[in-house]
Amino acid sequence: MSYSKAFTLQGCTDSFQAITLRAGVIFDDVYKFADAKNVTFIGGYAQGVGASSGWLMGGGHSILTPVYGLGVDRVLQIKVVTPDGAYRIANKCQNADLFWALRGSGRGTFGVVIESTHLVEPKLTFQTTVISFTPTPDNTRSFFELIVSNTVKWANEGWGGHVTDGGMIYVTPLLSLEEAAESMKAVTDYSITQGGTGLVETSLSWLDFFTKYVVGHQGPIGQLIVLGTRLIPKSNFESEGGKTQLIDVLMDLRATLINIATVTPILYNATSATDTSVTPAWRDALWHLPQGARWSYNSSVPEIVGAQTFLHKFVDRFRALAPDSGAYLNEAEVYETDHEAAFWGSNYARLLQIKKK
Ligand SMILES: Cc1cc2nc3c(=O)[nH]c(=O)nc-3n(C[C@H](O)[C@H](O)[C@H](O)COP(=O)(O)OP(=O)(O)OC[C@H]3O[C@@H](n4cnc5c(N)ncnc54)[C@H](O)[C@@H]3O)c2cc1C
């Protein structure tokens, strides 16, 4: 890892405050390194995910993405070995087509990444809301109603994070502590009436937040789980009918819902829908909704097939809610319906053209 106050891209003249990583470096190490340099790396909610590889090439969301963009929006330069064996440096000034394709095509589709350089922010302080209560069928519906009815307002205030049926962790770098407490009052009060807790506090850095709320709170390694996902656009929140439909589906599927992930670049406008190759559906979505199906090491083949079949049907409910939207390929279903449209949308044709070069 290296840090530069003024990193100049090869073949360009402009420079950026940036961190450069060799492929394989994981977020746990990146966040400690960035903190020591007094900057913030906008990255994923996991210690062991690599910052240069699958996360980046598939899109790369963060709970700070609503304000600061996806991983693909923030990467400045990628060094890669392409399938013809050539070592290439891709950025906006050279190999620009390849640079575009690497930012969303997913995993090793266009080559093996050796190194990536990422724009960083100054050390950020932000407001954090943490809510936790014991969910029941009755209080979950009321909680989801509060969440859905506040989602557009919270999006405009920069909030990002995760919601489950028994709580949430949300952050925003755009509000003061007092404004954040007021913004979240309806849900913190609700949690307390349910015998739970509701806290709004200032996080002094991303590393402080990550150490307190992510490290030590992650699931075990080696779980047998497959995911399916849908990006839910803002339009689903703009009518009473749309909101009710969404709440009904969330209630039906809450057992398989991993979380409601508010990790879309809704306020980030430095990148247009076609500047990267991820599906343009990211740009007007408010939620990414991952669901999961699990099995055990001693499950039979029919049990495994059954779990995947159920997952497909469940994700179909989300697809029906947002048929023109897309899915996050890094957390998508293996059997995604029309995966080309879901993962890349209108960017697919250009990706194919570049691949054929
Ligand atoms: C616990 C957990 C938390 C997660 N949290 C988030 C999150 O907050 N945000 C988010 O966006 N996603 C998240 N994800 C999803 C994550 O982005 C994907 O699983 C991603 O594919 C992980 O990439 P990796 O390189 O770490 O994993 P790997 O399994 O090592 O690689 C994934 C794929 O990328 C390929 N690959 C690896 N290295 C390279 C390389 N150098 N060049 C080319 N191809 C390569 C591999 O061959 C493989 O196909 C999470 C996943 C987990 C398991």
Side-chain angles (χ1 to χ4, degrees):
M1 282 183 278
S2 63
Y3 163 70
S4 170
K5 278 188 182 152
F7 182 90
T8 306
L9 308 181
Q10 181 140 338
C12 303
T13 49
D14 41 355
S15 59
F16 304 87
Q17 185 168 218
I19 282 182
T20 298
L21 308 167
R22 285 290 171 142
V25 179
I26 58 173
F27 283 124
D28 203 38
D29 294 328
V30 178
Y31 295 153
K32 287 175 187 153
F33 179 77
D35 193 75
K37 300 293 177 195
N38 227 13
V39 295
T40 307
F41 188 102
I42 307 297
Y45 207 79
Q47 287 172 269
V49 167
S52 278
S53 321
W55 176 81
L56 175 65
M57 284 180 275
H61 64 69
S62 160
I63 60 170
L64 290 166
T65 288
V67 176
Y68 295 104
L70 293 163
V72 289
D73 296 326
R74 304 183 57 82
V75 67
L76 298 167
Q77 178 167 286
I78 300 176
K79 294 185 178 172
V80 60
V81 176
T82 45
D84 55 359
Y87 175 64
R88 298 174 200 273
I89 300 178
N91 59 41
K92 64 179 181 177
C93 301
Q94 62 181 49
N95 293 311
D97 267 5
L98 178 62
F99 186 53
W100 179 83
L102 286 166
R103 289 175 299 143
S105 56
R107 302 172 177 187
T109 316
F110 279 82
V112 176
V113 169
I114 305 298
E115 184 183 288
S116 58
T117 299
H118 306 252
L119 183 66
V120 291
E121 298 296 321
K123 192 176 272 191
L124 298 173
T125 59
F126 49 88
Q127 313 310 330
T128 299
T129 297
V130 184
I131 284 170
S132 175
F133 59 90
T134 305
T136 65
D138 290 340
N139 70 17
T140 299
R141 183 160 189 110
S142 307
F143 182 57
F144 282 161
E145 281 168 1
L146 277 175
I147 297 294
V148 169
S149 62
N150 279 289
T151 287
V152 172
K153 171 180 116 70
W154 287 338
N156 291 328
E157 294 170 346
W159 289 102
H162 301 112
V163 178
T164 63
D165 56 1
M168 64 198 290
I169 298 189
Y170 258 34
V171 301
T172 177
L174 300 186
L175 300 181
S176 68
L177 183 60
E178 293 69 30
E179 289 165 341
E182 184 55 34
S183 166
M184 285 290 161
K185 190 171 176 355
V187 273
T188 49
D189 283 356
Y190 184 74
S191 179
I192 289 162
T193 64
Q194 299 308 305
T197 54
L199 166 79
V200 183
E201 64 179 9
T202 300
S203 296
L204 294 178
S205 71
W206 174 254
L207 186 64
D208 278 0
F209 170 87
F210 193 76
T211 306
K212 188 168 177 184
Y213 293 112
V214 185
V215 175
H217 296 271
Q218 294 180 115
I221 289 171
Q223 292 185 73
L224 298 175
I225 182 168
V226 281
L227 300 180
T229 135
R230 199 73 185 164
L231 294 163
I232 305 297
K234 196 174 180 185
S235 53
N236 285 61
F237 298 84
E238 285 172 344
S239 71
E240 287 313 310
K243 288 192 249 187
T244 305
Q245 259 186 336
L246 189 51
I247 293 162
D248 288 345
V249 176
L250 289 173
M251 285 304 288
D252 288 350
L253 301 183
R254 64 190 186 283
T256 50
L257 189 68
I258 304 280
N259 54 44
I260 296 169
T262 305
V263 292
T264 62
I266 196 71
L267 294 186
Y268 182 81
N269 53 17
T271 306
S272 84
T274 52
D275 281 353
T276 69
S277 49
V278 294
T279 170
W282 274 105
R283 306 291 163 192
D284 63 0
L286 293 182
W287 285 356
H288 151 56
L289 286 181
Q291 282 183 277
R294 294 165 204 270
W295 57 83
S296 320
Y297 280 98
N298 60 357
S299 295
S300 64
V301 171
E303 282 167 344
I304 295 171
V305 172
Q308 299 215 352
T309 308
F310 272 118
L311 179 71
H312 189 75
K313 284 190 183 147
F314 292 155
V315 182
D316 271 347
R317 299 280 308 275
F318 288 149
R319 291 188 190 101
L321 281 178
D324 300 325
S325 186
Y328 179 32
L329 74 82
N330 273 343
E331 292 172 329
E333 209 199 318
V334 177
Y335 300 105
E336 178 64 45
T337 309
D338 193 0
H339 70 280
E340 291 156 0
F343 298 161
W344 301 290
S346 55
N347 286 326
Y348 181 72
R350 185 175 166 204
L351 274 172
L352 193 60
Q353 230 178 23
I354 298 170
K355 185 79 178 169
K356 283 180 178 162
K357 262 190 182 178

